Amino acid sequence: MTDKIISNLVESLKNEQTFVIIKPDGIQRTLIGEVIKRYESLGLKIVALKMAVPTADMAKKHYTLDPEWIRKVGEKSIIGYRNKGLVPPSEDPIEVGNKVLGRLVRYMTSGPVIVMVWQGPHAVSIVRKMTGGTEPLTSDVGTIRGDFVIDSYQIADLDDRSIRNIVHASGSPEEAQAEINLWFKKDELIKYRLIQHELFYDVNLDGILE
Ligand code: ADP
């Protein structure tokens, strides 16, 4: 590989973007600062942020950007039940997935949310790690979903509502770009230098001593 190709690759790896929503329950629980602090402490750079009340159309569009999402979310829910020795409400992932979507639209349109774009090395996977697994009951301790809420597939199902888990975070770089394009106009993303990144990734750490 030529030096130019390597340096372009390093730049694109260092500047991966991901999309995050602080969901209506996160706002109501007054966790905006806490959520932002978690991602900020990792060293990621926030490049776009706004508050909005999602319409049903927007919520639906967001979750169905991936045409496979309905089936995947259904499968994941069914596995969640089985792993706890429980019987899922249906064996059909499409049926379960559609039910989840209906509940999610109610949840996401219930109040204001904050939408954000975070940028930095491995932004997608590091933000997912800090966010934690979908079901707060089994999300790891130390993650946002594991630390600030208790909810489960079982209780949410019995109440016929969505699992409340404070935040949404993109699952892949491709998903992130599709979600960013849905929620933000190009000029809402700000290009700027975060001085601390220069220290984080300086190859020789040679600008410190006087
Ligand atoms: P994640 O948000 O972890 O990427 P999914 O994309 O699979 O998870 O699901 C989107 C959201 O739908 C979840 O964050 C959760 O709020 C809700 N959800 C998923 N599965 C269920 C379910 N079986 N019952 C209720 N709500 C669900």
Side-chain angles (χ1 to χ4, degrees), residues 34-82:
E34 181 64 44
V35 170
I36 290 180
K37 187 177 128 216
R38 294 274 179 124
Y39 301 134
E40 208 176 25
S41 308
L42 287 168
L44 294 172
K45 171 168 76 172
I46 192 161
V47 296
L49 177 148
K50 65 186 173 191
M51 190 176 228
V53 181
T55 59
D57 184 49
M58 198 63 170
K60 215 178 241 177
K61 267 197 193 135
H62 170 85
Y63 281 107
T64 53
L65 282 169
D66 170 7
E68 285 293 291
W69 180 85
I70 291 188
R71 186 183 51 75
K72 284 195 268 190
V73 79
E75 282 171 356
K76 207 161 87 170
S77 308
I78 291 169
I79 291 168
Y81 271 93
R82 291 223 183 93

Side-chain angles (χ1 to χ4, degrees), residues 81 135 150-161 163:
Y81 271 93
E135 186 192 32
I150 309 171
D151 203 2
S152 64
Y153 286 122
Q154 196 185 9
I155 293 179
D157 251 0
L158 290 171
D159 284 343
D160 189 24
R161 61 166 174 78
I163 286 191

Side-chain angles (χ1 to χ4, degrees), residues 23 63 69 73 76-77 96 100 103-104 107 128 132-134 145 153 156-157 161-165 167-169:
K23 295 177 173 182
Y63 281 107
W69 180 85
V73 79
K76 207 161 87 170
S77 308
V96 176
V100 171
R103 294 166 175 172
L104 255 175
Y107 172 34
R128 285 284 275 203
T134 306
R145 289 167 169 178
Y153 286 122
D157 251 0
R161 61 166 174 78
S162 199
I163 286 191
R164 305 221 169 115
N165 53 13
V167 277
H168 160 82

Side-chain angles (χ1 to χ4, degrees), residues 107-192:
Y107 172 34
M108 296 301 285
T109 56
S110 65
V113 301
I114 298 230
V115 288
M116 306 181 274
V117 179
W118 289 89
Q119 184 172 312
H122 306 285
V124 169
S125 48
I126 206 81
V127 163
R128 285 284 275 203
K129 187 174 91 164
M130 181 58 91
T131 299
T134 306
E135 186 192 32
L137 176 64
T138 55
S139 314
D140 289 334
V141 170
T143 64
I144 296 167
R145 289 167 169 178
D147 284 356
F148 294 109
V149 60
I150 309 171
D151 203 2
S152 64
Y153 286 122
Q154 196 185 9
I155 293 179
D157 251 0
L158 290 171
D159 284 343
D160 189 24
R161 61 166 174 78
S162 199
I163 286 191
R164 305 221 169 115
N165 53 13
I166 319 257
V167 277
H168 160 82
S170 310
S172 68
E174 298 70 35
E175 196 179 297
Q177 285 311 310
E179 293 175 351
I180 291 167
N181 291 338
L182 178 68
W183 289 90
F184 287 100
K185 297 192 205 90
K186 275 219 151 31
D187 64 5
E188 288 179 306
L189 271 68
I190 300 185
K191 287 198 169 95
Y192 68 99

